[in-house]
Amino acid sequence: MKMLILDDDPAMGALVRRIAERIGFVADAVTRAVDFRAACEASPPELVVLDLQIGEEDGIEQLRYLADNGYRVPIILISGHDRRVLGTARQLGGALGLDIIDALNKPLRAADLRATLERVGSTLRPLSPQVLLEAIRDDQFRLEYQPIVSRNPRKVLKLEALVRWNHPSRGLIPPDQFIPMAELHAEVIDALTEWVVREAAHDYHVLREKNLAVPIAVNVSAVNLHRLDFPDRMHAIVQGARIPDGEFSFEITEGTATRDPTQMMDVLGRLRLKGIDLSIDDFGMGYSSLLQLRQLPYSELKIDKSFIMDVTRSRDSLAVVRSVIDLARNMDMISIAEGVETEETAVLVESLGATGLQGYLIGRPMGIEQVAIWLRDWMIPVSA
Ligand code: C2E
Ligand code: CA
Ligand code: CA
């Protein structure tokens, strides 16, 4: 990200530049308006920091220059005058169609400037594997839990942990927008999966202390299975967190790329031996499902929500759902219908013999505090 600073005090320019560079900007500082314009023309900046008093000239003229020449960059204003001058310049900038994102008073507080630059930086900065890794280290993720239940007998089978990125400037980002990128780099998806397993293990105990212990399912990417030590690393976390056997399971989405089947058998087999149950996620969407079912130690099958969501309207979906539930039963596997949104759908898939239901009808993904409340309510039904 390129940033250009105009301040007639070279020490000030250097200070701003140092702070900006530490955040990841490529910064250039000039002291004269003529150099400022030359720099803009040579290579348009992506962010401008402008001092309103620059020797003979004034910053307002530079604002007009930027507007007249069509530079639509975000601008941070700095001024030693009182707040009113800054306010006026800000209004003028707005009237000229410029994007004045902040106005800071001199003497400049480094912390203020850093906060502003960080905020701008993260909105300008595209999401990248590096940004993701930093976010994992900064604990910017959170988990939500969605219940999976059977209604007859009435039982909460488990909670599925679903990750969200609580980005400091973009807000909550859904997993579909960053998991595919994380999967491009094994070390990124490995770090994320480890974070999720640790956090879920912590939350398991939060619920247990409230007498609401429920098994937890975590989503694992096929990329995670590339490393032979994956079962050992996961087992170490689960055991270190004192999670009883059988209380943690993994949902694995079948990868589209051809995986090494011997490696899959090795890794998945050892996960099972270490007390972690395995579920095949989004069943029906990949091409290798049937082969995987025969070869790999899954104990549960989740029918993709695209089939469930129109099972009451489409004869084809109905045929698929019925066959998959039969297949699971014949292989002594549990079958879960995900994406159950209506009572009609729930009744239908129950009548076909699905073991468990998951979907907005039962409960949406919720934060840990909210899920505790949900669990209490659900276990004591009003109608019972
Ligand atoms: P998934 O594993 O198939 O998870 C189910 C998704 O369906 C969730 O979306 C959930 O919010 C949504 N859903 C649940 N019930 C309903 C319903 O009744 N109707 C509709 N329309 N949608 C429903 P979410 O949370 O956005 O997650 C999307 C995907 O991201 C997940 O699909 C999973 O593949 C992936 N994912 C989530 N968390 C993780 C994680 O920690 N690690 C990995 N590797 N992938 C994750
Ligand atoms: Ca899943
Ligand atoms: Ca799914």
Side-chain angles (χ1 to χ4, degrees), residues 146 160-164 174-176 179 183 189 193 196 219-221 251 253 281-282 305 309 338-341 358-361 365:
Q146 189 178 30
E160 176 177 2
L162 296 158
V163 73
R164 280 94 181 80
D176 293 334
I179 296 284
E183 286 178 327
I189 190 73
T193 303
V196 171
N219 288 283
V220 161
S221 156
E251 296 188 2
T253 309
D281 208 349
D282 299 342
K305 60 176 172 293
M309 285 168 74
E338 61 170 39
V340 177
E341 293 188 350
Q358 176 181 17
Y360 295 167
L361 175 73

Side-chain angles (χ1 to χ4, degrees), residues 62-139:
Q62 311 318 313
L63 286 180
R64 205 176 310 110
Y65 162 81
L66 289 171
D68 287 349
N69 290 279
Y71 292 104
R72 289 288 174 268
V73 287
I75 300 165
I76 298 172
L77 297 176
I78 304 179
S79 168
H81 279 287
D82 64 57
R83 293 212 150 265
R84 299 248 297 285
V85 176
L86 265 181
T88 307
R90 196 174 201 166
Q91 275 185 348
L92 175 68
L96 290 170
L98 295 170
D99 181 14
I100 313 284
I101 52 172
D102 213 343
L104 301 173
N105 268 100
K106 278 185 183 174
L108 201 59
R109 288 185 37 214
D112 290 346
L113 179 63
R114 196 172 303 124
T116 300
L117 291 181
E118 264 167 5
R119 185 164 49 79
V120 189
S122 53
T123 32
L124 293 175
R125 217 168 157 197
L127 300 182
S128 69
Q130 185 54 35
V131 174
L132 254 172
L133 266 184
E134 287 167 20
I136 297 167
R137 277 184 215 123
D138 279 0
D139 238 10

Side-chain angles (χ1 to χ4, degrees), residues 218-283:
V218 166
N219 288 283
V220 161
S221 156
V223 179
N224 289 132
L225 310 177
H226 272 3
R227 281 175 55 186
L228 282 173
D229 67 353
F230 182 71
D232 311 282
R233 281 185 287 130
M234 294 302 119
H235 184 59
I237 299 176
V238 172
Q239 210 180 30
R242 296 171 290 107
I243 307 290
D245 266 13
E247 293 287 274
F248 247 63
S249 61
F250 286 168
E251 296 188 2
I252 296 159
T253 309
E254 26 174 13
T256 39
T258 41
R259 306 282 168 206
D260 177 353
T262 326
Q263 165 126 0
M264 286 280 275
M265 281 188 265
D266 183 314
V267 170
L268 295 183
R270 287 176 52 242
L271 281 171
R272 276 306 289 275
L273 290 174
K274 290 177 189 301
I276 296 174
D277 283 342
L278 303 174
S279 165
I280 184 163
D281 208 349
D282 299 342
F283 189 80

Side-chain angles (χ1 to χ4, degrees), residues 146 149 151 303-309 311 336-350 354 356-364:
Q146 189 178 30
V149 305
R151 304 197 297 182
I303 311 163
D304 192 75
K305 60 176 172 293
S306 59
F307 297 107
I308 302 297
M309 285 168 74
V311 70
I336 307 290
E338 61 170 39
V340 177
E341 293 188 350
T342 65
E343 180 62 28
E344 193 190 359
T345 304
V347 169
L348 176 59
V349 296
E350 279 170 333
L357 306 177
Q358 176 181 17
Y360 295 167
L361 175 73
I362 309 296
R364 290 191 176 246

